PDB file of all heavy atoms in Angstrom:
ATOM      1  N   ARG A 202      31.965   5.730-125.815  1.00  0.00           N
ATOM      2  CA  ARG A 202      31.709   5.761-124.491  1.00  0.00           C
ATOM      3  C   ARG A 202      32.868   5.111-123.761  1.00  0.00           C
ATOM      4  O   ARG A 202      33.184   3.813-124.094  1.00  0.00           O
ATOM      5  CB  ARG A 202      30.363   5.051-124.150  1.00  0.00           C
ATOM      6  CG  ARG A 202      29.143   5.537-124.939  1.00  0.00           C
ATOM      7  CD  ARG A 202      28.600   6.733-124.444  1.00  0.00           C
ATOM      8  NE  ARG A 202      28.302   6.565-123.055  1.00  0.00           N
ATOM      9  CZ  ARG A 202      27.092   6.586-122.570  1.00  0.00           C
ATOM     10  NH1 ARG A 202      26.044   6.467-123.342  1.00  0.00           N
ATOM     11  NH2 ARG A 202      26.880   6.564-121.288  1.00  0.00           N
ATOM     12  N   PHE A 203      33.432   5.692-122.758  1.00  0.00           N
ATOM     13  CA  PHE A 203      34.504   5.097-122.084  1.00  0.00           C
ATOM     14  C   PHE A 203      34.549   5.503-120.590  1.00  0.00           C
ATOM     15  O   PHE A 203      33.903   6.526-120.236  1.00  0.00           O
ATOM     16  CB  PHE A 203      35.792   5.382-122.669  1.00  0.00           C
ATOM     17  CG  PHE A 203      36.082   6.862-122.873  1.00  0.00           C
ATOM     18  CD1 PHE A 203      36.768   7.608-121.963  1.00  0.00           C
ATOM     19  CD2 PHE A 203      35.729   7.372-124.095  1.00  0.00           C
ATOM     20  CE1 PHE A 203      36.926   8.975-122.121  1.00  0.00           C
ATOM     21  CE2 PHE A 203      35.853   8.747-124.182  1.00  0.00           C
ATOM     22  CZ  PHE A 203      36.494   9.539-123.304  1.00  0.00           C
ATOM     23  N   ARG A 204      35.278   4.777-119.805  1.00  0.00           N
ATOM     24  CA  ARG A 204      35.391   5.120-118.371  1.00  0.00           C
ATOM     25  C   ARG A 204      36.958   5.310-118.203  1.00  0.00           C
ATOM     26  O   ARG A 204      37.715   4.804-118.794  1.00  0.00           O
ATOM     27  CB  ARG A 204      34.857   3.982-117.520  1.00  0.00           C
ATOM     28  CG  ARG A 204      33.447   3.734-117.772  1.00  0.00           C
ATOM     29  CD  ARG A 204      32.781   3.172-116.574  1.00  0.00           C
ATOM     30  NE  ARG A 204      33.275   3.279-115.229  1.00  0.00           N
ATOM     31  CZ  ARG A 204      33.180   2.292-114.376  1.00  0.00           C
ATOM     32  NH1 ARG A 204      32.520   1.291-114.574  1.00  0.00           N
ATOM     33  NH2 ARG A 204      33.731   2.482-113.130  1.00  0.00           N
ATOM     34  N   LEU A 205      37.215   6.081-117.147  1.00  0.00           N
ATOM     35  CA  LEU A 205      38.607   6.457-116.891  1.00  0.00           C
ATOM     36  C   LEU A 205      39.110   5.742-115.615  1.00  0.00           C
ATOM     37  O   LEU A 205      38.393   5.521-114.657  1.00  0.00           O
ATOM     38  CB  LEU A 205      38.657   8.024-116.556  1.00  0.00           C
ATOM     39  CG  LEU A 205      38.201   8.854-117.703  1.00  0.00           C
ATOM     40  CD1 LEU A 205      38.111  10.340-117.245  1.00  0.00           C
ATOM     41  CD2 LEU A 205      39.125   8.776-118.928  1.00  0.00           C
ATOM     42  N   HIS A 206      40.361   5.300-115.761  1.00  0.00           N
ATOM     43  CA  HIS A 206      41.044   4.828-114.614  1.00  0.00           C
ATOM     44  C   HIS A 206      40.368   3.812-113.779  1.00  0.00           C
ATOM     45  O   HIS A 206      40.119   4.024-112.603  1.00  0.00           O
ATOM     46  CB  HIS A 206      41.584   6.065-113.664  1.00  0.00           C
ATOM     47  CG  HIS A 206      42.328   7.076-114.422  1.00  0.00           C
ATOM     48  ND1 HIS A 206      43.577   6.889-114.841  1.00  0.00           N
ATOM     49  CD2 HIS A 206      42.032   8.261-114.867  1.00  0.00           C
ATOM     50  CE1 HIS A 206      44.072   7.917-115.511  1.00  0.00           C
ATOM     51  NE2 HIS A 206      43.080   8.770-115.540  1.00  0.00           N
ATOM     52  N   ARG A 207      39.998   2.781-114.392  1.00  0.00           N
ATOM     53  CA  ARG A 207      39.284   1.635-113.575  1.00  0.00           C
ATOM     54  C   ARG A 207      40.237   1.018-112.672  1.00  0.00           C
ATOM     55  O   ARG A 207      41.103   0.197-113.115  1.00  0.00           O
ATOM     56  CB  ARG A 207      38.580   0.711-114.497  1.00  0.00           C
ATOM     57  CG  ARG A 207      37.330   1.318-115.111  1.00  0.00           C
ATOM     58  CD  ARG A 207      36.108   0.347-115.045  1.00  0.00           C
ATOM     59  NE  ARG A 207      36.308  -1.075-114.632  1.00  0.00           N
ATOM     60  CZ  ARG A 207      35.634  -1.986-115.212  1.00  0.00           C
ATOM     61  NH1 ARG A 207      34.831  -1.819-116.343  1.00  0.00           N
ATOM     62  NH2 ARG A 207      35.789  -3.232-114.755  1.00  0.00           N
ATOM     63  N   ARG A 208      40.214   1.366-111.402  1.00  0.00           N
ATOM     64  CA  ARG A 208      41.089   0.852-110.415  1.00  0.00           C
ATOM     65  C   ARG A 208      40.947  -0.658-110.150  1.00  0.00           C
ATOM     66  O   ARG A 208      41.831  -1.289-109.556  1.00  0.00           O
ATOM     67  CB  ARG A 208      41.072   1.636-109.125  1.00  0.00           C
ATOM     68  CG  ARG A 208      41.440   3.057-109.290  1.00  0.00           C
ATOM     69  CD  ARG A 208      41.766   3.767-108.056  1.00  0.00           C
ATOM     70  NE  ARG A 208      42.249   5.090-108.361  1.00  0.00           N
ATOM     71  CZ  ARG A 208      43.440   5.497-108.781  1.00  0.00           C
ATOM     72  NH1 ARG A 208      44.391   4.501-108.843  1.00  0.00           N
ATOM     73  NH2 ARG A 208      43.693   6.646-109.108  1.00  0.00           N
ATOM     74  N   ASP A 209      39.807  -1.204-110.547  1.00  0.00           N
ATOM     75  CA  ASP A 209      39.592  -2.571-110.375  1.00  0.00           C
ATOM     76  C   ASP A 209      40.225  -3.417-111.451  1.00  0.00           C
ATOM     77  O   ASP A 209      40.265  -4.729-111.378  1.00  0.00           O
ATOM     78  CB  ASP A 209      38.112  -2.854-110.279  1.00  0.00           C
ATOM     79  CG  ASP A 209      37.393  -2.404-111.456  1.00  0.00           C
ATOM     80  OD1 ASP A 209      37.696  -1.403-112.128  1.00  0.00           O
ATOM     81  OD2 ASP A 209      36.426  -3.150-112.003  1.00  0.00           O
ATOM     82  N   LEU A 210      40.892  -2.787-112.329  1.00  0.00           N
ATOM     83  CA  LEU A 210      41.585  -3.515-113.437  1.00  0.00           C
ATOM     84  C   LEU A 210      43.100  -3.354-113.341  1.00  0.00           C
ATOM     85  O   LEU A 210      43.459  -2.324-112.882  1.00  0.00           O
ATOM     86  CB  LEU A 210      41.100  -3.016-114.839  1.00  0.00           C
ATOM     87  CG  LEU A 210      39.648  -3.311-115.179  1.00  0.00           C
ATOM     88  CD1 LEU A 210      39.406  -2.712-116.519  1.00  0.00           C
ATOM     89  CD2 LEU A 210      39.491  -4.752-115.268  1.00  0.00           C
ATOM     90  N   PRO A 211      43.841  -4.415-113.635  1.00  0.00           N
ATOM     91  CA  PRO A 211      45.287  -4.391-113.452  1.00  0.00           C
ATOM     92  C   PRO A 211      45.838  -3.177-114.266  1.00  0.00           C
ATOM     93  O   PRO A 211      45.550  -2.948-115.397  1.00  0.00           O
ATOM     94  CB  PRO A 211      45.736  -5.651-114.161  1.00  0.00           C
ATOM     95  CG  PRO A 211      44.625  -6.568-114.134  1.00  0.00           C
ATOM     96  CD  PRO A 211      43.365  -5.706-114.237  1.00  0.00           C
TER      97      PRO A 211
END
Side-chain angles (χ1 to χ4, degrees):
R202 310 281 307 255
F203 53 89
R204 301 208 15 215
L205 300 172
H206 305 286
R207 283 228 351 222
R208 295 198 178 278
D209 57 322
L210 292 175

